[in-house]
Amino acid sequence: MKVLVTGGLGFIGSHTVVELQNKGLEVIIIDDLSNSSEKVLDGIFAITGKKPIFEKLDLKEKSEVEDFFKKHTDISGVIHFAASKAVGESVENPLLYYENNIGTLVYILKELSKKDKASFIFSSSCTVYGQADKMPITEDAPVKTAESPYGNTKQIGEEIISDTCKVTPSLNAIALRYFNPMGAHPSTEIGELPIGVPQNLVPYITQTGIGMREQLSVFGGDYPTEDGTCIRDYIHVVDLAKAHVIALQRLLEGKNDDNYEVFNLGTGTGSSVLEAIKSFEKVSEKKLNYKIVDRRAGDITAAYASTDKANNILGWKAASTLDEAMKSAWDWEVKIRK
Ligand code: WQD
């Protein structure tokens, strides 16, 4: 029984491959290497002693996807990470996002729908909630008009899966709505490798801390929050990875209540940008150079997860604190810049 991980050389994908292997599952990775590198395979091997099968493949090519599934008939589950994920880029180049994030999903679901039984885990995002009215955010909070094409691809992706599951009883799917993934594997063998200037807060903080960036710009100090900066739910990538394995096993073992389920993956705790900076300064014992500037277009004030459903139904709870996650991010930054 093999598990296919698309985008398995990426940030969350690679950490999930490690946890799948730790549970004795055989993994095959597809990645187009557009936002990752084959060197990540060495990092996975260094941690688990097992090198996953890897095939470079462009999921946008329907024939390549068909040929892959013809060749690998023993795939029982798919964890689908492969997607473009930069909010700003999606605004400038929406068609790239709709082709890469929606087209590829359709091709994979078509292949899985041919099987007698298939399990599918979808990488979704808290972005689907937009600015939710109530905190913490529960899974039944209304999905709001997306702030970006990236967020829209996650909403549309969930609808495509839900519609397909309704008419395909053999297909069992779970959408996992991540809050803000951060950090790196404690071994520092794998971690986040942003290409170019990081869009996300934590890699920008650690790159500023290591001296790669001059100063962190804090986007907005006048939000209606305690310290005026935005609040997010920062979750350690290893906690996130473990949740994927639990969700997949739930489907493989037929323990799901419905053939399409949705779970938030967060810590349940909100942290402001200034609190994230303070956490960095504590774990790194370095002063961070930052400046509060204007708000970033499209940012919401606050988002943190209700974790009751994941805790009670998946039996999963994030284990790491913000400081532990930030320490892992900093250790990784120090390691790769050596
Ligand atoms: C967090 C906070 C910024 C950078 C997005 C996607 C989400 C997921 C994670 C893919 C915000 C502030 C940031 C900086 C700053 N994407 N910030 N200075 O926007 O919450 O979520 O990335 O998986 O789907 O929507 O994450 O890290 O960009 O921002 O002040 O240089 O940090 O304003 O308040 P975001 P982020």
Side-chain angles (χ1 to χ4, degrees), residues 4-36:
L4 167 62
V5 181
T6 73
L9 295 182
F11 175 38
I12 305 168
S14 55
H15 287 80
T16 301
V17 168
V18 163
E19 299 308 326
L20 287 165
Q21 291 187 325
N22 287 345
K23 288 287 181 196
L25 289 155
E26 191 188 349
V27 176
I28 180 163
I29 292 173
I30 287 178
D31 203 300
D32 66 1
L33 301 179
S34 61
N35 191 20
S36 55

Side-chain angles (χ1 to χ4, degrees), residues 1 4 21 40 45 76 111 131 134 159 183 206 217 232 235 238 272 274 292 295 297 301 329 334:
M1 178 179 73
L4 167 62
Q21 291 187 325
V40 173
F45 180 73
S76 53
E111 292 306 316
Q131 177 54 74
K134 271 193 319 161
E159 284 166 20
T206 55
S217 297
R232 295 291 185 274
I235 176 169
V238 174
S272 73
L274 291 181
I292 295 185
R295 296 183 177 192
T301 303
V334 169

Side-chain angles (χ1 to χ4, degrees), residues 12 84-87 123-128 148 150-151 154 178-181 197-205 215-220 223 229-234 271-273 277 291 293-296 298-301 303:
I12 305 168
S84 303
K85 61 162 207 166
V87 174
S123 169
S124 190
S125 168
C126 63
T127 310
V128 302
S148 68
Y150 161 76
K154 293 301 178 185
Y178 312 156
F179 279 68
N180 286 61
V197 179
Q199 299 302 308
N200 293 131
L201 176 68
V202 173
Y204 206 107
I205 285 179
Q215 181 180 63
L216 168 77
S217 297
V218 174
F219 298 139
Y223 283 94
T229 63
C230 294
I231 291 171
R232 295 291 185 274
D233 185 334
Y234 296 99
S271 302
S272 73
V273 176
I277 292 171
K291 187 167 159 245
V293 300
D294 292 341
R295 296 183 177 192
R296 177 173 68 175
D299 274 339
I300 57 170
T301 303

Side-chain angles (χ1 to χ4, degrees), residues 145-287:
T145 308
E147 304 268 345
S148 68
Y150 161 76
N152 206 19
T153 65
K154 293 301 178 185
Q155 290 180 2
I156 297 168
E158 289 191 5
E159 284 166 20
I160 290 171
I161 299 161
S162 170
D163 289 346
T164 308
C165 287
K166 279 188 193 116
V167 295
T168 320
S170 60
L171 178 62
N172 295 281
I174 290 177
L176 297 174
R177 292 174 177 168
Y178 312 156
F179 279 68
N180 286 61
M182 66 170 281
H185 194 270
S187 65
T188 67
E189 294 292 350
I190 53 175
E192 194 167 5
L193 286 166
I195 294 175
V197 179
Q199 299 302 308
N200 293 131
L201 176 68
V202 173
Y204 206 107
I205 285 179
T206 55
Q207 287 190 11
T208 305
I210 203 89
M212 266 182 80
R213 308 285 162 205
E214 186 53 37
Q215 181 180 63
L216 168 77
S217 297
V218 174
F219 298 139
D222 59 350
Y223 283 94
T225 62
E226 215 167 289
D227 65 18
T229 63
C230 294
I231 291 171
R232 295 291 185 274
D233 185 334
Y234 296 99
I235 176 169
H236 196 301
V237 63
V238 174
D239 286 331
L240 202 61
K242 288 178 175 169
H244 284 73
V245 181
I246 292 169
L248 180 67
Q249 286 173 319
R250 174 178 171 82
L251 297 182
L252 293 175
E253 293 160 15
K255 293 193 175 136
N256 46 312
D257 303 321
D258 191 346
N259 76 327
Y260 177 60
E261 297 174 310
V262 177
F263 294 93
N264 284 340
L265 294 184
T267 65
T269 303
S271 302
S272 73
V273 176
L274 291 181
E275 285 170 331
I277 292 171
K278 218 171 273 130
S279 170
F280 170 77
E281 293 182 331
K282 179 177 159 199
V283 303
S284 66
E285 294 174 354
K286 291 170 84 78
K287 198 92 188 77

